[in-house]
Amino acid sequence: GGRPTPIRLSQTISTLERGTLAAERPLRRLVGSGRLNPLPHAGTISNFLLLVIIVSGVYLLFFYEFGFEASYDSVAGIEDHPIQRFVRAVHRYASAALVLTTLVHGWRLFVAGRFDGGRRWRWLTGVAALVVVWLAGVTGYWMVWDVRAQTLTEALIRSIDWIPIGADWVIDSLLGSDAGTGWPVMFLLWSAHLLLTAVIGWFIWRHLRRSHLRWLPPRHWMIIMGAVVGVISIAVPAGMLEPADPTRLVGAVPLDPFYLFLVPPLLSAAPWLTLVGLGVVVAAGGLIPWALRRGDPEPVAIDPDRCTGCELCVVDCPYDALVMDGELAVVDPQACVACGICIGSCSFGAMALPGFEPALPPDPAGRDVVIACQRHLRLAQLPESVATVEVTCAGMVNPLTIGSLLSAGAASVEVVGCPPADCAYGLGNEILAERLAGERSPRLQRKWDGAATQDWVPPTELASAVRTPGAHRIADSDVVPRQPWRLVRTIAVVALSIALVVLATNAPFDQGRQDSEIVVLVEHVPGAQIAGQSGPTGIAGADVEVAVVVDGEAFVVAASGGGDAAGSVVEVVTVPVESGTRAVRVELSEGSASPTVIVDRIIELGPGERLVVEARDLPPPASAELGERLFFESSLGRNVGCVICHSLRPGDDGVGPSLAGIATTASSRVPELTAEEYLRESILEPTAYVVEGYLEGQMLGGYGETLTERELDSLIAYLLTLEE
């Protein structure tokens, strides 16, 4: 059971479906065939595009490097190579098209009411997959580290700089001097991109598991989509924007509305409203099946005394809701969606839908009889002279029913169902078409071969199908009409759609920045010494005020109290100023102590330039204790964790040689190098000296990018304690 949906809500959904089908009518007429209409195939086309994205993405990963400059340069190198440039364009345009086809698929499922009963969790996983697709696309744009990625970074800063930990991460990883080469950040983005892709695959598997529904579209759709995306990718490469430059403001930049639609509102005065709104929209979309529940459909009932154990119902159920328990079919009520397709496969009256009994005309003799699903009869009207038999789905029709109507003298029997790939229950139209063609059991009696007509049309075109019976016979979506002009029209429609997608990915966005900007990064423990100052500043535990004065006018005074758990005050202060020669003074006030002047000088700011001022405490000196922590560290993106390959036990050589007594060994391994020099060279240039018995290149490189000078010195200090 469950509370029924209000009548007005059902009418609203019906009205939306009627409007959607009416909007699609010009496209259906243009292509001239239901099998060449891409809209019903939007879901499986999305899966095909996802496969294209995964394959092209794996190829591109072989050429990607980590680091702000390194990542940009590696993508620029991809763009310079003809094959890699083509694959990159395919990857980007297929990603944008994926969002479009998924939205089309979701909307058509919604207006058709295909989200109740056993399909609720299927709907929820579909919504979740779309959200993760969006996140993966955002990280993909970020990985280029161009001005578009810089705009994304600024949107991120606006979103999290009110969180102390978030502001700290921004300063350390993106804006401050400690950001370094950006190797950890880009590695993190790369890892997130791959992880999100894996999560998408998991959600798709959850979305389609326990069903016989198609995973991929018919072959001709894969050929058409692949060819169109390929040709457009050759004609319109993805191209490169200018590299990200934190010393300059980003003015106009192209933003892909399929993935970067949140950037403009996040850059507004109240980004938190955007995040709250996004959360509400996603939650509402995922909870539609529960919010609009029309009452759980009762599962099919099985009469054990009539069941013969033929297994036809188990084979036909699109949602794997039936299994055999010995010689008896058993239904899983959680998986059953009450489509009735299994009833059409049972010729012994062993199955029924509680509360629904197809009513045959009391006297069909001499009358035209139309058997149609509820969806068709709800959205269309037929003349009173036509007798109708309502079924939940065309697949509910058993050929014996058609034979009984003809035996009772019906002038004609016409079965009308949904067009190819557009059945409300996935496969009902195709299953019935196979039964009537004698390709699937139960079959129509031979004496009635060809006596019943079939038509597979959209619900709003039921009346048209009744006027011209048999004009739309084939439900097999794999069959392509032979008329070449129809295929040409279809290809033109697909090409135009993808071309518009490509055009949209370069939608202009201008932040309207004409002047300059001052950014002050504060990371300070009151009472500690700030870099560039002669000694400690302020009073321990005091509140900190950050004042930015331009030409004698205080633009911003940001007050912070308490800081994070370690007592550190973290602030990102942004001040827009007019370009030109400016007198800039930045000072920190800490309690009753005299203000600490961080900057006080005349600065020339050109249009679009950004001045970054840092007020950061001096880091503690290098220490063997820190080096020991680094030696045993193995966190994501750090690539340190020396202990993974090197043991500290004598003679315990593994992937790398044991480092027991390395301080003593290092002093004599290379005669012209001291122990400290040898260790530094071995960390920064692993191939400079290769220990006998090990291969060149076996040790990973890149430590000069992942370790700060203090960390490197600390690691060496720890290794120098490992004496024999």
Side-chain angles (χ1 to χ4, degrees):
R3 65 177 181 83
T5 298
I7 293 178
R8 63 178 179 275
L9 185 57
S10 297
Q11 291 175 342
T12 298
I13 293 178
S14 296
T15 300
L16 289 174
E17 183 176 25
R18 186 178 289 107
T20 299
L21 293 172
E24 294 177 2
R25 186 177 296 118
L27 174 61
R28 294 195 299 270
R29 291 180 177 176
L30 178 64
V31 299
S33 170
R35 292 177 297 282
L36 290 178
N37 181 5
L39 299 179
H41 300 277
T44 52
I45 288 176
S46 295
N47 291 339
F48 170 70
L49 290 172
L50 178 60
L51 184 61
V52 170
I53 293 166
I54 292 174
V55 172
S56 59
V58 169
Y59 173 79
L60 293 173
L61 288 178
F62 287 106
F63 311 100
Y64 188 75
E65 299 179 9
F66 306 128
F68 295 146
E69 291 186 13
S71 296
Y72 181 85
D73 291 342
S74 66
V75 177
I78 289 172
E79 198 65 21
D80 287 339
H81 190 281
I83 296 178
Q84 297 170 23
R85 178 172 63 244
F86 166 73
V87 175
R88 179 174 177 242
V90 167
H91 188 74
R92 173 171 294 183
Y93 300 150
S95 299
L98 171 63
V99 176
L100 178 63
T101 56
T102 304
L103 290 174
V104 169
H105 175 62
W107 175 256
R108 299 183 91 256
L109 292 182
F110 170 69
V111 298
R114 296 167 62 177
F115 50 74
D116 55 359
R119 296 181 288 188
R120 287 187 183 133
W121 291 104
R122 197 180 304 274
W123 171 274
L124 183 59
T125 55
V127 172
L130 178 59
V131 172
V132 181
V133 163
W134 167 66
L135 290 173
V138 171
T139 57
Y141 274 113
W142 231 323
M143 289 169 61
V144 183
W145 208 250
D146 55 8
V147 290
R148 184 159 34 207
Q150 184 177 344
T151 305
L152 272 170
T153 301
E154 293 181 3
L156 174 67
I157 292 172
R158 289 285 190 91
S159 303
I160 68 173
D161 67 353
W162 56 276
I163 307 172
I165 295 178
D168 193 20
W169 183 84
V170 166
I171 292 174
D172 288 338
S173 303
L174 298 176
L175 295 181
S177 57
D178 280 356
T181 63
W183 197 99
V185 172
M186 302 313 294
F187 181 84
L188 182 63
L189 285 172
W190 177 84
S191 301
H193 194 63
L194 265 64
L195 178 61
L196 290 169
T197 303
V199 172
I200 294 169
W202 184 83
F203 274 124
I204 295 298
W205 174 76
R206 294 285 301 181
H207 187 65
L208 293 173
R209 75 185 188 102
R210 293 199 62 181
S211 76
H212 298 165
L213 305 179
R214 292 177 182 268
W215 285 65
L216 293 174
R219 183 171 54 186
H220 64 274
W221 279 117
M222 290 189 283
I223 294 174
I224 292 173
M225 292 298 300
V228 169
V229 172
V231 170
I232 292 181
S233 297
I234 294 174
V236 187
M240 293 293 295
L241 301 177
E242 293 296 317
D245 183 357
T247 67
R248 296 199 61 83
L249 304 178
V250 178
V253 63
L255 290 183
D256 181 350
F258 296 103
Y259 289 100
L260 307 182
F261 58 91
L262 281 184
V263 170
L266 285 178
L267 291 172
S268 66
W272 63 271
L273 284 177
T274 300
L275 298 177
V276 171
L278 177 65
V280 170
V281 170
V282 171
L287 296 178
I288 279 176
W290 288 269
L292 304 184
R293 61 187 304 177
R294 293 169 291 182
D296 293 331
E298 292 193 47
V300 65
I302 300 175
D303 186 344
D305 295 329
R306 293 189 177 187
C307 180
T308 65
C310 68
E311 300 189 27
L312 292 181
C313 59
V314 176
V315 173
D316 282 359
C317 179
Y319 297 98
D320 284 346
L322 291 162
V323 295
M324 295 302 299
D325 183 7
E327 296 297 319
L328 180 66
V330 178
V331 63
D332 178 357
Q334 299 301 317
C336 181
V337 300
C339 61
I341 293 175
C342 56
I343 295 176
S345 66
C346 182
S347 302
F348 307 99
M351 314 185 83
L353 279 178
F356 184 89
E357 182 68 30
L360 299 180
D363 184 16
R367 302 185 66 187
D368 295 324
V369 179
V370 173
I371 305 176
C373 70
Q374 293 174 321
R375 189 180 175 203
H376 282 74
L377 294 175
R378 185 181 75 242
L379 297 177
Q381 293 183 345
L382 296 178
E384 295 183 0
S385 60
V386 177
T388 60
V389 178
E390 180 179 317
V391 291
T392 55
C393 173
M396 188 182 187
V397 178
N398 188 294
L400 292 178
T401 302
I402 296 174
S404 65
L405 288 170
L406 293 171
S407 297
S412 67
V413 174
E414 180 184 9
V415 180
V416 182
C418 298
D422 202 26
C423 173
Y425 296 101
L427 300 173
N429 49 4
E430 296 183 24
I431 288 175
L432 179 58
E434 291 175 4
R435 291 173 187 162
L436 298 182
E439 300 169 357
R440 192 186 194 103
S441 297
R443 298 175 176 83
L444 192 66
Q445 295 178 8
R446 285 190 174 87
K447 65 178 179 178
W448 302 120
D449 281 349
T453 56
Q454 311 169 45
D455 285 283
W456 312 98
V457 296
T460 53
E461 298 180 15
L462 172 61
S464 175
V466 171
R467 287 194 298 269
T468 56
H472 307 278
R473 287 183 53 86
I474 301 175
D476 185 359
S477 58
D478 286 320
V479 178
V480 181
R482 295 181 179 179
Q483 297 89 339
W485 62 88
R486 291 183 176 178
L487 189 60
V488 170
R489 292 174 182 172
T490 299
I491 295 174
V493 168
V494 173
L496 178 61
S497 301
I498 301 299
L500 292 176
V501 166
V502 171
L503 184 63
T505 59
N506 291 300
F509 169 65
D510 191 346
Q511 299 186 55
R513 292 175 166 178
Q514 301 295 329
D515 294 322
S516 305
E517 188 174 83
I518 299 174
V519 176
V520 182
L521 309 179
V522 181
E523 191 172 16
H524 172 54
V525 177
Q529 183 176 353
I530 297 174
Q533 301 297 315
S534 58
T537 62
I539 302 173
D543 290 347
V544 176
E545 289 186 349
V546 184
V548 181
V549 182
V550 180
D551 294 338
E553 180 181 357
F555 274 72
V556 172
V557 177
S560 298
D564 60 19
S568 177
V569 174
V570 180
E571 283 287 347
V572 180
V573 179
T574 302
V575 182
V577 297
E578 293 183 4
S579 58
T581 303
R582 294 287 174 262
V584 177
R585 180 183 178 90
V586 177
E587 57 185 35
L588 270 61
S589 298
E590 306 171 60
S592 58
S594 299
T596 301
V597 178
I598 307 300
V599 168
D600 187 7
R601 66 177 188 267
I602 304 298
I603 297 174
E604 182 69 32
L605 288 174
E609 288 188 355
R610 173 187 282 136
L611 171 66
V612 179
V613 178
E614 296 190 49
R616 307 184 65 175
D617 292 345
L618 286 173
S623 66
E625 291 76 13
L626 173 58
E628 184 176 10
R629 291 199 300 271
L630 291 169
F631 186 92
F632 290 97
E633 181 182 275
S634 58
S635 56
L636 179 66
R638 290 284 292 171
N639 195 25
V640 186
C642 311
V643 73
I644 296 173
C645 299
H646 298 279
S647 168
L648 295 182
R649 294 183 296 273
D652 185 10
D653 295 334
V655 178
S658 170
L659 295 183
I662 187 61
T664 304
T665 305
S667 63
S668 59
R669 180 156 281 171
V670 179
E672 61 270 19
L673 297 179
T674 65
E676 179 181 350
E677 291 171 340
Y678 170 76
L679 291 172
R680 186 178 299 273
E681 180 185 74
S682 297
I683 295 171
L684 299 180
E685 302 178 45
T687 60
Y689 178 89
V690 180
V691 176
E692 184 178 354
Y694 292 89
L695 299 175
E696 182 175 338
Q698 190 166 341
M699 178 176 170
L700 297 175
Y703 294 104
E705 297 178 347
T706 59
L707 294 174
T708 65
E709 283 295 326
R710 172 172 168 262
E711 290 173 334
L712 179 60
D713 292 342
S714 297
L715 182 57
I716 293 173
Y718 170 67
L719 294 175
L720 289 174
T721 67
L722 304 177
E723 299 177 336
E724 291 183 350

